[in-house]
Amino acid sequence: MEEKERYNENDCVEAGLSCSIKGKVVILNRESLPPCSQNQLYYCLCGNGAGVNPTGRAVFLVSLRTGEFSLKNRNEVVGVLKPELLPDQAKLQLSQIRPVGALDLQNHEPKYSGYSFLPDGRYAAGVWLCSEQEVLSYVEMQKSYQHRIMICDREDFCVLEMESGKLLHPSQKELDAFRCPQDGGIEMI
């Protein structure tokens, strides 16, 4: 998918203050951008303006062109981009974002690597993930936008794989057992 020159509300699956933008790709209003910037696509990390009917205005975003962090006002956000309109280059940039709340890599040992693939097989470098919760958060943030997601352990063995939003490995039964360890769940190797 090639990037459009200009995105607007017609390119949104949701718009306005009645939708949550946290953990989603959003379109910024072109008028709120510097004149030299063409980038309207950002990933919303968090902020008191990110929820439904927000109590504040601040939203923390990551540019899907440069990877740079930005603090914007919620009123600068047009809405949530339709996943099928996300350009390939933006998908590759999105695949490099670690989940909100991910542990600091200087003080914690990564246990997994997360990869996201385009339909033609292209992908960017893996993202370090330090816990099973980070793995689940990474998958959750990527699954609406990426063709294929793969999580590998430190030995580079695949421990989770999804394609087109469908779980390929492990089985759904094994994944459910992992999510509910009090019921005799499994451990990710």
Side-chain angles (χ1 to χ4, degrees):
M1 166 77 54
E2 292 296 316
E3 188 167 3
K4 290 177 64 170
E5 190 172 309
R6 183 179 293 260
Y7 293 92
N8 59 46
E9 197 168 331
N10 294 331
D11 299 315
C12 296
V13 67
E14 299 178 280
L17 297 177
S18 62
C19 70
S20 173
I21 61 172
K22 182 178 178 182
K24 298 178 182 169
V25 174
V26 297
I27 301 170
L28 285 188
N29 186 330
R30 196 132 165 126
E31 287 72 41
S32 68
L33 299 171
C36 60
S37 176
Q38 300 295 317
N39 181 31
Q40 286 185 272
L41 302 179
Y42 287 77
Y43 180 77
C44 181
L45 294 169
C46 59
N48 61 11
V52 176
N53 300 318
T55 57
R57 295 188 310 230
V59 291
F60 295 92
L61 308 171
V62 179
S63 166
L64 293 183
R65 179 169 285 174
T66 65
E68 294 175 355
F69 292 91
S70 293
L71 174 62
K72 298 288 185 181
N73 280 318
R74 174 67 184 256
N75 63 359
E76 297 176 84
V77 175
V78 175
V80 177
L81 181 72
K82 294 175 182 173
E84 64 271 14
L85 297 180
L86 189 62
D88 288 348
Q89 197 58 41
K91 288 178 184 180
L92 293 172
Q93 186 68 48
L94 176 64
S95 75
Q96 297 301 288
I97 300 173
R98 294 182 74 227
V100 172
L103 298 172
D104 180 6
L105 293 174
Q106 291 184 358
N107 301 320
H108 296 87
E109 185 74 24
K111 294 170 71 176
Y112 305 99
S113 297
Y115 301 92
S116 295
F117 298 84
L118 299 176
D120 64 9
R122 286 184 292 154
Y123 68 100
V127 172
W128 289 119
L129 304 166
C130 297
S131 69
E132 289 76 13
Q133 184 55 50
E134 287 183 26
V135 166
L136 294 174
S137 295
Y138 180 80
V139 169
E140 193 60 36
M141 67 188 272
Q142 301 293 334
K143 72 179 183 180
S144 295
Y145 302 103
Q146 304 292 357
H147 172 69
R148 184 169 154 235
I149 301 166
M150 182 182 288
I151 305 297
C152 296
D153 65 12
R154 287 302 299 245
E155 304 297 319
D156 216 22
F157 288 103
C158 177
V159 296
L160 187 144
E161 186 173 11
M162 291 183 85
E163 189 170 307
S164 301
K166 292 182 174 73
L167 185 63
L168 301 177
H169 175 75
S171 70
Q172 188 62 51
K173 182 180 177 183
E174 292 170 322
L175 187 60
D176 290 344
F178 169 73
R179 287 184 174 161
C180 301
Q182 68 274 13
D183 298 332
I186 63 173
E187 179 181 334
M188 283 183 114
I189 298 172

